[in-house]
Amino acid sequence: GPGSGAARKDSVDRGASALLAEAAERAGVRRFVQISTMGAGRPPAPGGDDVWAAYVNAKNAAEDDLRDRDLDWVIVRPGGLTNDPGTGRVTLAPPPVGHGAVTRDDVAAVIAALLAEPKVDRATLELVNGDVPIPEAISALI
């Protein structure tokens, strides 16, 4: 989390994700939803903060690792997280959806819905608060 250094970003945001995906494979768990970050999928901007660059690089590596696995995976890249109450309404689509914020409650609700919907598979999605109710946003991906 905030205040941790580059090494911690790699050990948690890449390393722990890879270990969890490996554990899922070994246990026969097929469905895997990975939380990434808006901005992943490309190199960090040059001249930026070194810790942020390490975070984005770790998320990129974790996404690449997951895509190489034989799992039914979905990668979710939320926008800026807020502690506001959930709205139940989001924009959820393949990149790019544009920058924005999303409540932690809504991220959790989207994850739960994606875990229950096997027809959304091998997809990378960006998530911000929006106008579409979460069930409709998930259905639109099928």
Side-chain angles (χ1 to χ4, degrees):
S4 64
R8 182 76 170 169
K9 301 301 183 198
D10 183 68
S11 67
V12 171
D13 294 297
R14 182 208 48 82
S17 180
L19 288 172
L20 188 57
E22 182 180 337
E25 287 177 321
R26 288 182 185 207
V29 174
R30 298 286 315 150
R31 193 81 174 140
F32 195 96
V33 176
Q34 182 181 77
I35 307 307
S36 191
T37 187
M38 189 82 66
R42 59 186 180 269
D49 177 77
D50 288 343
V51 174
W52 176 254
Y55 177 70
V56 171
N57 286 330
K59 290 296 191 180
N60 287 340
E63 287 187 11
D64 290 344
D65 176 81
L66 185 60
R67 286 186 189 102
D68 289 340
R69 294 182 183 275
D70 184 27
L71 292 169
D72 301 330
W73 55 264
V74 178
I75 297 167
V76 178
R77 296 176 178 163
L81 298 174
T82 73
N83 292 322
D84 297 331
T87 66
R89 295 179 172 275
V90 298
T91 298
L92 177 68
V97 301
H99 292 288
V102 61
T103 71
R104 285 177 166 83
D105 289 347
D106 288 324
V107 173
V110 166
I111 292 166
L114 286 169
L115 284 169
E117 183 46 76
K119 292 179 184 172
V120 180
D121 184 35
R122 295 190 171 258
T124 301
L125 306 169
E126 292 187 342
L127 171 64
V128 295
N129 280 119
D131 298 324
V132 180
I134 291 170
E136 290 178 29
I138 301 293
S139 292
L141 298 169
I142 299 172

